Amino acid sequence: MRQGRITLGPVRVEDAARLARVLGAVPPPAVRPAPVAGTDAAFVGALLGHVFPEATGGGALSVSVREEAPGLLDLGAIDARTARRLVRALRF
């Protein structure tokens, strides 16, 4: 925690995709063209960035692809209020 914000940090693309689905993202079609290096990460990052505000009532999340490690996404920091809403969204 830094300046009242919680940094989520690096996450594997597969885990980010799972988080996006749990938060309500529509899964991508089963048939997709073969991925180009980094394309899946960019797609999952955009998907998570889109669904996160909807699931948390407006909280924004920055998501970026690590160029040196395309299998990882960097998730930015969220404030404590957004973190509480995220926890509520994750409860089933």
Side-chain angles (χ1 to χ4, degrees), residues 37-57:
T39 302
D40 273 351
F43 175 79
V44 169
L47 186 64
L48 183 56
H50 176 75
V51 74
F52 190 88
E54 293 174 13
T56 60

Side-chain angles (χ1 to χ4, degrees), residues 17-84:
R18 192 173 306 116
L19 176 60
R21 282 192 303 273
V22 168
L23 294 177
V26 176
V31 178
R32 290 196 338 202
V36 176
T39 302
D40 273 351
F43 175 79
V44 169
L47 186 64
L48 183 56
H50 176 75
V51 74
F52 190 88
E54 293 174 13
T56 60
L61 176 67
S62 66
V63 181
S64 59
V65 178
R66 284 192 171 186
E67 290 188 24
E68 71 280 358
L72 290 177
L73 293 174
D74 276 321
L75 305 183
I78 57 176
D79 59 42
R81 186 176 187 184
T82 301
R84 283 190 296 275

